[in-house]
Amino acid sequence: MESTLMAAPLDSSKIKVFTGRSNPELAQKVCDHLKVPLGRGRTELFPDGECIVKVDEDVRGRDCYIFQSTCHPTNAHLMELFIWIDCLRRASAKRVTAVIPYFGYARQDRKDEGRVPITAKLVANLLERAGADRVVSVDLHAAQVQGFFDIPVDHLNAGPVLTKWFKTLKLGNKVFVSPDVGNVKRAQAYANMMGGEICIIDKRRKNGSTTEARHIIGDVEGKNVLIVDDMITTAGTVVEACKILKANGVKDIYIAATHGVFAPPAMERLADAPFAKIAVTDTIPMSNRIDPIKDRLIVLSVAELLGEAVARIHRDESVSALFKEDQSA
Amino acid sequence: MESTLMAAPLDSSKIKVFTGRSNPELAQKVCDHLKVPLGRGRTELFPDGECIVKVDEDVRGRDCYIFQSTCHPTNAHLMELFIWIDCLRRASAKRVTAVIPYFGYARQDRKDEGRVPITAKLVANLLERAGADRVVSVDLHAAQVQGFFDIPVDHLNAGPVLTKWFKTLKLGNKVFVSPDVGNVKRAQAYANMMGGEICIIDKRRKNGSTTEARHIIGDVEGKNVLIVDDMITTAGTVVEACKILKANGVKDIYIAATHGVFAPPAMERLADAPFAKIAVTDTIPMSNRIDPIKDRLIVLSVAELLGEAVARIHRDESVSALFKEDQSA
Amino acid sequence: MESTLMAAPLDSSKIKVFTGRSNPELAQKVCDHLKVPLGRGRTELFPDGECIVKVDEDVRGRDCYIFQSTCHPTNAHLMELFIWIDCLRRASAKRVTAVIPYFGYARQDRKDEGRVPITAKLVANLLERAGADRVVSVDLHAAQVQGFFDIPVDHLNAGPVLTKWFKTLKLGNKVFVSPDVGNVKRAQAYANMMGGEICIIDKRRKNGSTTEARHIIGDVEGKNVLIVDDMITTAGTVVEACKILKANGVKDIYIAATHGVFAPPAMERLADAPFAKIAVTDTIPMSNRIDPIKDRLIVLSVAELLGEAVARIHRDESVSALFKEDQSA
Amino acid sequence: MESTLMAAPLDSSKIKVFTGRSNPELAQKVCDHLKVPLGRGRTELFPDGECIVKVDEDVRGRDCYIFQSTCHPTNAHLMELFIWIDCLRRASAKRVTAVIPYFGYARQDRKDEGRVPITAKLVANLLERAGADRVVSVDLHAAQVQGFFDIPVDHLNAGPVLTKWFKTLKLGNKVFVSPDVGNVKRAQAYANMMGGEICIIDKRRKNGSTTEARHIIGDVEGKNVLIVDDMITTAGTVVEACKILKANGVKDIYIAATHGVFAPPAMERLADAPFAKIAVTDTIPMSNRIDPIKDRLIVLSVAELLGEAVARIHRDESVSALFKEDQSA
Amino acid sequence: MESTLMAAPLDSSKIKVFTGRSNPELAQKVCDHLKVPLGRGRTELFPDGECIVKVDEDVRGRDCYIFQSTCHPTNAHLMELFIWIDCLRRASAKRVTAVIPYFGYARQDRKDEGRVPITAKLVANLLERAGADRVVSVDLHAAQVQGFFDIPVDHLNAGPVLTKWFKTLKLGNKVFVSPDVGNVKRAQAYANMMGGEICIIDKRRKNGSTTEARHIIGDVEGKNVLIVDDMITTAGTVVEACKILKANGVKDIYIAATHGVFAPPAMERLADAPFAKIAVTDTIPMSNRIDPIKDRLIVLSVAELLGEAVARIHRDESVSALFKEDQSA
Amino acid sequence: MESTLMAAPLDSSKIKVFTGRSNPELAQKVCDHLKVPLGRGRTELFPDGECIVKVDEDVRGRDCYIFQSTCHPTNAHLMELFIWIDCLRRASAKRVTAVIPYFGYARQDRKDEGRVPITAKLVANLLERAGADRVVSVDLHAAQVQGFFDIPVDHLNAGPVLTKWFKTLKLGNKVFVSPDVGNVKRAQAYANMMGGEICIIDKRRKNGSTTEARHIIGDVEGKNVLIVDDMITTAGTVVEACKILKANGVKDIYIAATHGVFAPPAMERLADAPFAKIAVTDTIPMSNRIDPIKDRLIVLSVAELLGEAVARIHRDESVSALFKEDQSA
């Protein structure tokens, strides 16, 4: 990712970056990177909990970006985002891009059983109906969610951010592990980029019961393990993986995921889990709830990644080119 | 409202009534009135706060009704409603009717200043996009919100429910008051239906300052006052009205509103206000937060009203006919 | 409203202003104000009454404005407007803004009874379907009509134009009257801006009959009265108000309304009514039908207001800013 | 066309036929044929010329048909039709079919030059947007207009009605003439059905001028001529054809067209034209304006044709089958 | 058509011209005329016949043109075109114009019988749904197909290209023939432009059988005949016309059509037909299948016509002006 | 899957099953199972390759199903399907369900690089635009494709059909293999259903080159291997898997996949591959191209599965219930 890209400054009278209430720190960092002020505007709450968006500077004909991670509380953050979009659209913005670093409900992307919703598609439909012209997101749970939209989506890959951290660890004898068989491809991609083997952890129903047993397929003894995933929610799967890996004699365990959701009881689980370090990005803000693991937690920033993407979108430059060099590295 | 309407029972294999989490008691009451079981299905919460809807009985080709008041927390209740609609639609329901006894965000129905949203229209658009085929609601803040929809809306009037209560008070020498000049028409309608005068409370900016003064226009001394409104939110306006009315020598004050939102600090304000009784309906569930006024609070039910409407919609009978007899009464 | 706004001239190769047949004089005045020529193009009638629009200059990639008040004959003016929009859109205009100084059918904005249309919403839908990208209008009957559109609407307030005239009258001891209880808020807004009291005229059903009686609520004796409304149609309500006000001993009566519809029998009624002056704007052209009151009629122009709005829309400048100074004045 | 089709009567509680103001006589005739009462409902005019539609019987879940020929005044009749559709749709009609015996603006079906509208497509779009579910029409000017709709269109052919009349004339030695080279196919179709030759009338620019000359291509001397067209508007073309045919020694001339638009100066032209008889249908009502030719004018009814089509649509029976027997006859 | 139009060169960083696989030669010629390189991108085929489009240069914010004649194999060429449009749209092209020199399925523009599709409208709908912003085409079979689109269509007339060739023949004593009565207007237009008479060939059902007989209406003996049509498919009609014309003693026969579809058995039929020359344009590529008539076949190019249209569209200049001078010539 | 479901016969006057040209044998088998005749209607080809659909029986108000696998030639089969849908919709079918046993282009469900289409979403959009009301498909490559649709999709699982065959093999000591790491979940699901272990085949880039090496992760020696996948296209991956498995000492290899695409050079590859049996279903018709492996190929039918689904959809019964018993088995 070339930082020289910012040689020519953006015209802050033409691009406007606003933020909802879910992750204003990240939006501010992106603005700092872009060297444009964060747009003046805010979400206000009425006593009955309804919210209203007010924009305090003119946006007519401007290229507007509204940042909102749809993390917890997801429903409130989504509605707030829809209202921002409606507000900007009715205020005659030239283009409204919803920047959604963490895209909530992305796991509800299919019907595994009868009579359930496909909420990720619903959210895509509602974003379009509210009036979004484009979407930017990072590491969607399934790449197919991009196809849920008819408007253009720039799907950013935080892999380079995580890989850069991995490399600083200077580990030898590496094995990449997917904690879930649905995600082996991700482990394989890292192994191909950085060298090393892969292994998987198989979760099997025991005969005659509903309890499950896990066992490792592949060779891990004495190796450094890097567990990679797109998100850590309740940390159940990843902590189970740590335990069985340790039981199989691995050396050190490192965990990396783009989105640190850390929903209860993630902290209780992670506090006792036998890993060395865990890295997530700032797509979701970390509050003091991460105290139990703060010594082992690394928070990497996607602000530069998002900033470069926004700059390129604004200037009609290729966003996919952002990732070219990393792939060849 | 003729209860004889229910002479012919509904076929519970053809009509399905479900409820979101905002007001299940009302949905159950409606089902009791309709003599059909409440549909099996529920909203489940994941640890990260995302919700999923699961419907446990077949709805293919059925006429489905999903009850959800979009009261506090409005955003969560709205998203839950959208997800219910998506779920029922994808499950091949013949028709999905969103029954929204209290329609949140209805006051954001216009742009009074630049660069604000029209959230009530946004909500209408999102309901249609999610897949609702019809909407039923009670006493929308502005009747024009009905026009925000392109799908048919049955806009029910809780006036007969409140009027019935008013009549039981057997008050003489009545005057109807609108606490807000935007709502005088409502007071006039009650006065026309029940006899009595109207008065208004004018709120004026004082010269050279932003503080406001209220004074009464019309004759109220020694009279019984009935303050009528569509909703009571923080109770600021209505309590101010009580005070100035008392200061002008009225006899007893009765308050009636369809929707008892009672957002903070409504209870603190009402606890000390000089009124005799206050009546609201159960479009919004009352919790223990109403304790400070529980001796003076009457909660009237719209369950029968909603039930009759649902039955008539299901049977392709006129809903407007529901209100004919009341108007002539 | 700053006329300095026009310091930088518009580029007449980029902005094109056309007019339908309803109010070409107003369109011409706006063009004069904007210092751009009225676009060459016209509506032609075939012998069977069908019309066709022909545009005689290139509009590809231009920012086009089509002026049409949808006053009498409303249906013909609406269809003509739809055809203009279709024509400009198919001719590859960059943007088509429908400028509708008087928006007909705005009063049909709700369903007050069963089985009636919501024609204002229908018109909004048809305008969007025909291909309008934006709408500009003046003093819509209900502000909610703005929400009937999903395209951006610039809703202009002719209040400053009327207020300016009011001030020239240098009246003391003023009272503002709404002829209809549905419109008290408008009278209150004027009272707040210009000083003075408000009163309302209550229209009540007499017991046991359908005839109505009017009486005044509020103190008017010996005062100068300013009756304010958004439109005068058949003048029934306003003339009744004049009579009862005079009967209650008011001094002089002045009437102001944005839209002078003056449908029969408005002129017969007004000819004999006891008011001093009546002011309307030129959103609707006055023909010789106003002869009976021409000595007491003032026609104020909204051309500058519309011209400033068009210039600001074309230049991506704030339209709401147009009204800032007036509110503080 | 089998009249036995009506053996099983329609259930008048399920089918509702309404009429706009353009051709209520035809709608009544169709109802008489269908043996159902004309639906109670009407278009009312306000003093300012706006109209409102009120439906006086319940239409929920009913199969509704609204009859409206969009003849002169076309714009008013179109808007009235859109409003009817909006009204029926919002009143929860199960299906709304617009029956448009004469489809105005059908000739504006292409762009022959730059910067003109395609009004026939616009009208199709507006009908769909207003909420029509189906359309029925008779002899569209171009069959392609059917493709302007995405909703199903039943395009009825009045040919059998005209052919039946032609046969009663018992003419020998026939030649069919298209007055316009764009319509030769229609003449050929009649010639194929009834026997006889065809000829065309060529309209050519004279060298060096814009005046035109007509001459006949084909052999007509001493023959009976049948001029066939879809509509007669100002009668210019058809009267010119009569003159040149007479000048070329034809025997008697008969004219037949589905739609008798008869816009000025049609009557002046036809009054002096040398034809024996002219037949049109009642898709457009004839008023006293046809007096000048009333002795030579035959008005045939399409009521039975439309009635059969409505009955078949209501009963999910084939409409194209209506025309099978006539083709083989 | 002024070639001076190209005085100012196009900016090849803003306009991108791509080609599908149906007619890359024509796209290349247009690029040569425009002096811009053909865009880098291609359709790749997978072994199972599915295709994928890959664009190798950035198109964000660019004005993109994708050339594809939807000639044989029409279905494959259509799907490839839809995929190109989807690809360009998702790659954030500013505008995607589908340039379709030959528009397949254009003859399926109406329902002549029950239960058939209107495929030309379907194709228009699918092009819009895929994301096309504009369409350019040449000599649509029916001009009404333009109205099947809601997006702007530039309908180019290859008439001037054919007329120019006709003039080089320097023929005297000309008669223009439409091989089909549905197309007489086209012959008349040529006759009006170039001088000469017209005649038609009538196709009649013989009494009591389904076989048809053709005869000529109009005077052709000893004349040079120019048969004009929009397309030649299987050549059945045109070859029949040649035969009957020769049998009626015409001198030389010349055939001109915009689109040379030449589907089997066109070549067998034409090889033996008594015409002097046949001219078509390169909207459809000629392969070696034209060998049997290659000595008598003239292929005229529409590259300049298309190039001028593309340049004018890109520069927001009038396309209809392209044809002005030709009409006056 | 209960065959008792068919106890009550379908009413063949209400349900109509048609077939396109891709897999008429399967459609016929489904009709046989449903005991309804295959609908009369067909796709005809014109000499230039355009196709037209003609339906020979009335479909008004009927519940219509059109069968078409979008296998090779995919583009032609897709366009044919769109045309069928357009035809049925315009013929006033009550509901049109596209039954697509094999859904082509399903692998193009994401953007893995810049400037490529998402063709699976495009196809979903085009199906909806053509007018499909529902879709039925079998084993979509990614379950998320279901979410590409806003219309209801019944996604059938051929797993029970394949499992039933697996069980007839009565194999012991089983291991399930996914030939591709993206599909391990499928192998795991089979292992959980039938007992046995899983293993994966890892494909790794060799250092310093683009060639790839495969190695097995997991224990396979001496075991019976069941390779499971959703489709076999060129058979490259599966044949490589066979080789490396054999090299690692497995006993017998069985292959099962829902869709036998068998694109070149699948047959050449499979002919020499060391597997015992390969099973596919008849979602794609097998022609004589399968000769090289016909002794080892088992073709299982999904006709009963599709038939049951169609019957349940027609009768508004649960389709997911079809799979309940299999899961518990």
Side-chain angles (χ1 to χ4, degrees), chain D residues 18-300:
Chain D
F18 297 96
T19 183
R21 298 186 307 151
S22 67
N23 199 347
E25 300 81 3
L26 179 56
Q28 184 60 61
K29 275 189 196 167
V30 170
C31 285
D32 293 347
H33 180 75
L34 294 172
K35 294 192 173 58
V36 297
L38 187 60
R40 282 177 290 118
R42 68 206 169 279
T43 308
E44 291 179 0
L45 282 188
F46 289 106
D48 60 356
E50 294 185 1
C51 58
I52 189 167
V53 166
K54 293 187 177 179
V55 171
D56 294 330
E57 53 184 308
D58 204 4
V59 297
R60 282 194 187 240
R62 269 70 161 192
D63 185 22
C64 295
Y65 298 79
I66 168 69
F67 274 67
Q68 179 85 324
S69 275
T70 52
C71 52
H72 181 80
T74 301
N75 290 336
H77 285 153
L78 276 170
M79 277 302 302
E80 187 192 350
L81 177 55
F82 300 149
I83 295 170
W84 265 97
I85 294 168
D86 186 78
C87 177
L88 291 169
R89 187 174 55 79
R90 289 189 187 273
S92 306
K94 180 185 170 195
R95 185 169 70 170
V96 179
T97 298
V99 184
I100 310 174
Y102 171 69
F103 190 94
Y105 280 118
R107 282 160 301 167
Q108 293 188 33
D109 59 357
R110 70 179 79 194
K111 281 180 72 173
D112 279 335
E113 53 185 313
R115 297 184 295 276
V116 293
I118 304 183
T119 311
K121 178 62 184 313
L122 170 69
V123 168
N125 287 345
L126 299 184
L127 280 165
E128 289 190 18
R129 187 66 186 86
D133 294 300
R134 307 182 58 85
V135 164
V136 175
S137 194
V138 181
D139 282 357
L140 292 163
H141 184 62
Q144 287 89 349
V145 170
Q146 196 172 357
F148 286 2
F149 290 91
D150 285 327
I151 51 176
V153 176
D154 285 299
H155 184 193
L156 307 181
N157 174 12
V161 175
L162 299 176
T163 304
K164 195 173 161 192
W165 171 70
F166 270 165
K167 287 178 178 166
T168 64
L169 300 176
K170 296 184 191 302
L171 300 174
N173 206 6
K174 292 187 292 284
V175 63
F176 289 85
V177 172
S178 167
D180 173 9
V181 294
N183 236 338
V184 184
K185 209 158 198 166
R186 190 180 302 266
Q188 193 188 45
Y190 277 91
N192 269 330
M193 268 193 295
M194 300 178 61
E197 298 303 310
I198 68 173
C199 83
I200 64 175
I201 296 175
D202 185 24
K203 195 164 61 181
R204 306 295 307 280
R205 266 196 285 173
K206 280 192 183 171
N207 284 349
S209 84
T210 58
T211 60
E212 292 177 331
R214 283 179 175 79
H215 69 280
I216 292 175
I217 302 179
D219 185 29
V220 296
E221 196 176 339
K223 294 186 177 172
N224 284 307
V225 172
L226 294 94
I227 301 178
V228 289
D229 215 341
D230 61 323
M231 70 172 81
I232 295 173
T233 311
T234 61
T237 307
V238 75
V239 166
E240 279 301 308
C242 288
K243 288 179 187 163
I244 190 169
L245 285 163
K246 274 294 177 188
N248 278 266
V250 305
K251 204 172 158 202
D252 291 330
I253 300 176
Y254 296 86
I255 306 169
T258 307
H259 309 294
V261 177
F262 297 143
M267 281 304 139
E268 291 81 337
R269 285 173 172 160
L270 288 167
D272 300 327
F275 62 88
K277 292 281 182 192
I278 181 168
V280 296
T281 78
D282 56 354
T283 57
I284 299 173
M286 295 294 113
S287 57
N288 54 10
R289 69 196 153 93
I290 53 95
D291 281 355
I293 57 166
K294 72 177 170 207
D295 295 339
R296 291 186 288 166
L297 178 67
I298 314 292
V299 179
L300 307 164

Side-chain angles (χ1 to χ4, degrees), chain B residues 227-272:
Chain B
I227 300 179
V228 288
D229 215 341
D230 61 324
M231 69 172 80
I232 295 173
T233 310
T234 61
T237 307
V238 75
V239 166
E240 279 301 308
C242 287
K243 288 180 187 163
I244 192 169
L245 285 163
K246 274 294 178 188
N248 279 265
V250 304
K251 201 172 159 206
D252 291 331
I253 299 177
Y254 296 87
I255 305 170
T258 307
H259 308 295
V261 177
F262 298 143
M267 281 304 138
E268 289 83 336
R269 284 171 173 163
L270 288 167
D272 301 327

Side-chain angles (χ1 to χ4, degrees), chain C residues 154-213:
Chain C
D154 285 299
H155 183 194
L156 307 182
N157 174 11
V161 175
L162 298 176
T163 304
K164 196 175 160 191
W165 171 70
F166 270 165
K167 288 178 179 167
T168 65
L169 300 175
K170 297 187 190 298
L171 300 174
N173 206 8
K174 293 187 291 286
V175 63
F176 290 84
V177 171
S178 167
D180 173 9
V181 294
N183 236 338
V184 184
K185 208 156 199 168
R186 189 181 301 267
Q188 193 189 45
Y190 276 92
N192 269 329
M193 269 192 294
M194 301 178 59
E197 299 302 309
I198 66 173
C199 83
I200 62 175
I201 297 175
D202 185 25
K203 195 163 61 181
R204 307 296 307 281
R205 264 195 286 175
K206 281 192 182 170
N207 283 349
S209 85
T210 59
T211 61
E212 290 176 334

Side-chain angles (χ1 to χ4, degrees), chain C residues 262-284:
Chain C
F262 297 143
M267 282 304 137
E268 289 81 338
R269 284 171 172 163
L270 288 167
D272 301 327
F275 62 87
K277 291 281 180 194
I278 182 168
V280 296
T281 77
D282 56 354
T283 56
I284 298 173

Side-chain angles (χ1 to χ4, degrees), chain A residues 12 15 40 57 114 176 184 194-195 208 235 237 251 264 268 304:
Chain A
S12 65
I15 183 172
R40 281 177 291 118
E57 53 185 311
F176 290 85
V184 184
M194 301 179 58
T237 308
K251 203 172 156 205
E268 289 81 339
E304 192 183 340

Side-chain angles (χ1 to χ4, degrees), chain E residues 230-274:
Chain E
D230 62 323
M231 70 171 80
I232 296 173
T233 310
T234 60
T237 308
V238 76
V239 165
E240 280 300 309
C242 287
K243 287 180 188 161
I244 190 168
L245 285 163
K246 273 295 177 187
N248 279 266
V250 304
K251 203 173 156 203
D252 291 330
I253 299 176
Y254 297 86
I255 305 169
T258 307
H259 308 294
V261 177
F262 297 143
M267 282 304 137
E268 289 81 339
R269 283 171 173 162
L270 287 167
D272 301 327

